[in-house]
């Protein structure tokens, strides 16, 4: 969950979201499979007021992470949400 707090209309706010693989590495040298991040999409009633960038890494081995920028640019007053 990213909370952008209170913002002014047309005031862009950027936050960094960390995406982590919950896969594990086991003692017998076998690992859970890597995951591949595809296109990220924001959906919901206010989706047009949010945007998401491209992750720094698109392939994550077990327990690796990457970051992606998420932007919020409110176009009107009121509570905003998206997934």
């Amino acid at each position: 969950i990213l909370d952008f707090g209170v913002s002014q209309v047309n005031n862009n706010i950027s936050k960094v979201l960390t995406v982590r693989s919950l896969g594990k590495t086991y003692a017998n040298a076998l690992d859970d499979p890597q995951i591949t991040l595809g296109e990220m999409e924001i959906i919901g009633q206010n989706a047009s007021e949010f945007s998401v960038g491209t992750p720094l890494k698109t392939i994550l081995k077990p327990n690796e992470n990457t970051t992606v920028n998420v932007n919020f640019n409110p176009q009107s007053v009121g509570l905003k949400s998206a997934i």
Side-chain angles (χ1 to χ4, degrees):
I1 294 176
L2 291 178
D3 184 348
F4 289 90
V6 176
S7 177
Q8 300 292 321
V9 172
N10 293 316
N11 181 37
N12 190 55
I13 301 172
S14 183
K15 296 251 182 177
V16 176
L17 176 68
T18 300
V19 179
R20 176 181 300 276
S21 166
L22 298 178
K24 297 185 182 197
T25 300
Y26 300 96
N28 62 2
L30 295 176
D31 296 344
D32 285 334
Q34 66 187 19
I35 60 172
T36 301
L37 301 174
E39 182 178 340
M40 295 188 175
E41 179 181 11
I42 296 176
I43 60 173
Q45 182 177 0
N46 305 114
S48 65
E49 298 183 58
F50 295 85
S51 62
V52 62
T54 303
L56 294 177
K57 293 171 68 176
T58 57
I59 297 175
L60 299 178
K61 294 178 183 173
N63 208 35
E64 283 188 330
N65 64 53
T66 189
T67 59
V68 61
N69 288 326
V70 180
N71 299 298
F72 174 51
N73 190 10
Q75 301 301 301
S76 61
V77 297
L79 182 63
K80 309 294 180 169
S81 66
I83 300 172

